[in-house]
């Protein structure tokens, strides 16, 4: 499911000290990634945070993918 993280992730200095978070919430991306890394499913995360939708969780993964991408200049 292609998701553009820029539609769901925001970072502002006045909330969570600028940590990336899901728009309209105070839920940091790192928290959702931690849940996923611990083996929780998308459905389990939504049970824990019922205000979230699947697209927001997938956006966290897309955000992490963008952060991990880099080019090496030789």
């Amino acid at each position: 499911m292609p998701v553009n993280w820029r539609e769901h992730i925001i970072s502002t200095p006045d909330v969570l000290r600028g940590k990336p978070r899901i728009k309209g919430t105070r839920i940091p991306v790192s928290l959702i990634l931690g849940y996923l890394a611990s083996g929780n499913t998308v459905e389990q995360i939504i049970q824990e945070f019922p205000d979230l939708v699947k697209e927001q969780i997938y956006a966290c993964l897309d955000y992490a993918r963008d952060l991990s991408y880099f080019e090496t200049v030789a």
Side-chain angles (χ1 to χ4, degrees):
M1 162 184 269
V3 175
N4 182 355
W5 67 262
R6 289 169 183 84
E7 296 174 10
H8 301 280
I9 308 293
I10 191 168
S11 176
T12 55
D14 59 328
V15 179
L16 297 177
R17 297 182 184 168
K19 288 184 180 181
R21 61 184 167 87
I22 297 173
K23 281 185 184 177
T25 75
R26 295 180 65 85
I27 301 171
V29 170
S30 60
L31 180 65
I32 299 304
L33 293 173
Y35 271 80
L36 291 167
S38 295
N40 289 280
T41 66
V42 171
E43 291 75 20
Q44 289 171 321
I45 295 170
I46 290 173
Q47 282 181 348
E48 187 74 25
F49 303 97
D51 293 336
L52 296 184
V53 295
K54 288 181 181 181
E55 290 78 16
Q56 292 169 313
I57 296 169
Y58 294 134
C60 292
L61 287 170
D62 192 50
Y63 177 79
R65 180 193 53 81
D66 269 6
L67 286 179
S68 68
Y69 180 78
F70 67 93
E71 281 188 37
T72 304
V73 179

